[in-house]
Amino acid sequence: MVSIQAKILNSGADYLQYEQVSVNQCLLPITSEVDADGHLFIGGSEVTSLVARFGSPLYILDEVGLRKACQQYQEAFKQFYPGTAQVIYASKAWSCLAVCGIIATEGLGFDVVSGGELYTALRSLKELGLDPEGKIYFHGNNKSPEELRQGIESNCTIVVDNWWELEQLAQWSDQKIRIMLRLTPGIECHTHEYIRTGHLDSKFGFDPHDLKKLFEFVAGRSHLNCVGLHAHIGSQIFESQPHQDLAKLIVTWQKQALSYGLQIQELNLGGGLGIRYTEQDDPPSIQSWVELVCQGVIEACQDLGMSLPKLMVEPGRSLVGSSCVTAYRIGSSKTVPGIRSYVAVDGGMSDNPRPITYQSVYRCVVANRMTAPLTETVTVAGKHCESGDILIHNARLPKTEPGDVLVVMSTGAYNYSMASNYNRLPRPAAVLVNQGEANLILRRENYEDLLCQDLLPERLLESK
Ligand code: LLP
């Protein structure tokens, strides 16, 4: 067996042992190996056998990789931050019992943005016998009154996003409510460049121009226990500078709060660390990203004469993205002479809406031909009735045949969580693999599941 991280996919990277790899820098899950017949194994399971057993498309999640990403965050904070730190998982990346459960057992908390994500996080903690106290932060720019109540009753910290929400909470004066205030930082990021704008055009968070009014309002409501400030810049970010700038800004806000009598103890710098989707992508390692964030906060505190806060971050993609692949069966193909060749798989935009939504670029391999020469350039098409349902343009593949198993990499984040039933495709199953064991963590939907919300009004039946 050959560990293929360095060999095939990360050529040029300066690591060979997965112990040294930052999980977010891997294209294939860190436990990936290839046997002498050129077959891909993940978490000790052979991928084509998993597909034969569980069907396709199939999300395959590597438990070792997911746990390792959690540990890399935790260890980096231990190493670089002398104060208290807390890593919470942005569960929007993939919210289900098993993913939340694994992350909870690694000691991380949760960022949830809806009643449904809250319910999932709470259930996973409960099933594992873990105490949710202090673990769940409830985000969202338009939480319903029911969601707010649900959050308060389950002792979440409410990350207050806007005046409407704050005014509702102000009326809940019969109980103490633990809140954070989310502010729009005015730091914009793009994947390969970043611009700082004076223009704060975002639907999330309070405008920092309102800071005075905001702090006065909160200071005058004793039942609102304002423990922290929050800001998130963006997602799939490769630079560290924006987060260092953010550190400075947020400590400045924390200092301003003092003059209103608000002792803010927690600063949350959001998520956003990018992952590798292609060989060209070069995100910083989890360790170096955490180091720079810590440095930024420590320096800002020194400059502004503040003591170190409890420091929080809330990554999603970089925890779960790189440890999962999606395996499909190849079906039809078509060559348009002089233009391109299409190879179609049995899923597409319903299980991975990112290419059609964000023009995201993915890479793939053929699980049963890992050592075959890459002789073809093909367009990997999905099976949806939509011309734009293309998973990968110009994929370099070996010669394939119907029935081969095509594996798209780095699909752990914002794939299952954004999946749909477009064209009434049942959502795929997901398996958790570890040391040769494979456990179903999300059952494949069947046609009855597709109809389980459908109703036929009596009237229609009577008229038949
Ligand atoms: N915190 C807040 C407040 C967020 O809005 C997000 C992501 C995160 C944390 C986690 O960011 P991450 O570490 O995953 O970059 N669907 C898009 C991504 C949307 C991200 C939304 N917010 C995609 O597929 O690329």
Side-chain angles (χ1 to χ4, degrees), residues 73 88-93 111 113 139-140 159 182 204 230-237 268-274 277 289 313-319 352-354 357-358 360 362 413-415 417-418:
Y73 267 103
I88 62 176
Y89 168 54
S91 65
K92 71 206 81 180
D111 144 6
V113 299
H139 280 272
V159 185
R182 176 171 181 172
F204 298 106
H230 172 283
H232 169 78
I233 306 174
S235 200
Q236 183 61 1
I237 302 171
N268 182 335
L269 271 65
L273 172 60
Y277 287 102
W289 186 82
V313 291
E314 50 191 22
R317 192 190 311 268
S318 53
L319 283 172
N352 184 357
R354 297 192 72 257
T357 313
Y358 313 114
S360 306
Y362 282 85
Y414 307 110
N415 271 229
S417 65
M418 290 174 65

Side-chain angles (χ1 to χ4, degrees), residues 287-303:
Q287 195 194 41
S288 62
W289 186 82
V290 170
E291 182 180 8
L292 286 165
V293 166
C294 294
Q295 245 175 34
V297 171
I298 293 168
E299 275 170 30
C301 287
Q302 275 163 1
D303 291 351

Side-chain angles (χ1 to χ4, degrees), residues 31-305:
T31 62
S32 303
E33 294 171 303
V34 174
D35 71 3
D37 298 329
H39 283 230
L40 176 64
F41 285 67
I42 299 175
S45 287
E46 207 251 309
V47 170
T48 59
S49 311
L50 291 173
V51 167
R53 180 170 159 207
F54 296 101
S56 60
L58 182 67
Y59 298 100
I60 302 171
L61 175 62
D62 177 28
E63 184 174 350
V64 171
L66 176 56
R67 288 191 185 277
K68 194 158 187 75
C70 297
Q71 290 156 13
Q72 287 178 340
Y73 267 103
Q74 307 265 59
E75 282 159 17
F77 274 105
K78 269 197 204 112
Q79 191 178 346
F80 299 113
Y81 198 67
T84 309
Q86 187 180 18
V87 183
I88 62 176
Y89 168 54
S91 65
K92 71 206 81 180
W94 191 352
S95 173
C96 68
L97 287 181
V99 170
C100 290
I102 290 169
I103 286 175
T105 55
E106 291 297 328
L108 277 65
F110 293 97
D111 144 6
V112 300
V113 299
S114 68
E117 284 184 4
L118 172 59
Y119 188 74
T120 307
L122 282 170
R123 271 291 284 275
S124 74
L125 289 164
K126 187 167 167 212
E127 307 243 341
L128 291 160
L130 297 168
D131 184 2
E133 187 67 37
K135 290 242 162 77
I136 306 185
Y137 289 74
F138 199 161
H139 280 272
N141 68 311
N142 190 22
K143 302 174 192 78
S144 68
E146 298 72 42
E147 285 176 319
L148 278 178
R149 177 163 294 288
Q150 205 182 339
I152 293 166
E153 281 170 1
S154 22
N155 286 330
C156 294
T157 304
I158 309 290
V159 185
V160 186
D161 185 274
N162 54 63
W163 284 104
W164 183 64
E165 189 179 336
L166 190 58
E167 277 152 14
Q168 284 184 72
L169 295 176
Q171 286 163 24
W172 243 299
S173 54
D174 53 334
Q175 58 186 305
K176 268 243 182 264
I177 306 174
R178 200 175 184 274
I179 63 167
M180 282 188 119
L181 301 172
R182 176 171 181 172
L183 290 146
T184 318
I187 297 171
E188 274 183 33
C189 285
H190 301 287
T191 305
H192 294 296
E193 69 186 76
Y194 106 91
I195 43 172
R196 177 188 266 282
T197 56
H199 186 218
L200 302 159
D201 181 8
S202 161
K203 72 169 182 170
F204 298 106
F206 290 95
D207 184 331
H209 295 115
D210 276 358
L211 221 53
K212 179 174 179 307
K213 208 168 109 197
L214 186 58
F215 287 155
E216 269 169 9
F217 186 96
V218 173
R221 310 285 186 297
S222 58
H223 72 290
L224 297 181
N225 176 21
C226 182
V227 296
L229 300 178
H230 172 283
H232 169 78
I233 306 174
S235 200
Q236 183 61 1
I237 302 171
F238 287 2
E239 316 95 316
S240 309
Q241 188 61 39
H243 279 92
Q244 288 196 298
D245 289 356
L246 177 61
K248 183 103 198 186
L249 192 61
I250 202 165
V251 175
T252 312
W253 292 333
Q254 183 198 14
K255 185 165 182 167
Q256 284 175 33
L258 276 179
S259 49
Y260 298 85
L262 291 174
Q263 305 268 354
I264 307 268
Q265 305 111 35
E266 302 184 12
L267 298 182
N268 182 335
L269 271 65
L273 172 60
I275 66 168
R276 174 169 277 155
Y277 287 102
T278 71
E279 323 72 59
Q280 284 84 36
D281 290 340
D282 191 18
S285 67
I286 291 173
Q287 195 194 41
S288 62
W289 186 82
V290 170
E291 182 180 8
L292 286 165
V293 166
C294 294
Q295 245 175 34
V297 171
I298 293 168
E299 275 170 30
C301 287
Q302 275 163 1
D303 291 351
L304 295 163

Side-chain angles (χ1 to χ4, degrees), residues 382-426:
K383 65 175 283 163
H384 290 273
C385 279
E386 183 105 8
S387 302
D389 176 31
I390 301 295
L391 284 175
I392 306 178
H393 293 277
N394 301 323
R396 294 286 297 151
L397 289 182
K399 193 145 185 48
T400 58
E401 281 173 19
D404 282 351
V405 173
L406 183 122
V407 166
V408 176
M409 299 178 275
S410 319
T411 58
Y414 307 110
N415 271 229
Y416 194 91
S417 65
M418 290 174 65
S420 75
N421 291 121
Y422 182 43
N423 295 148
R424 291 239 137 171
L425 260 68

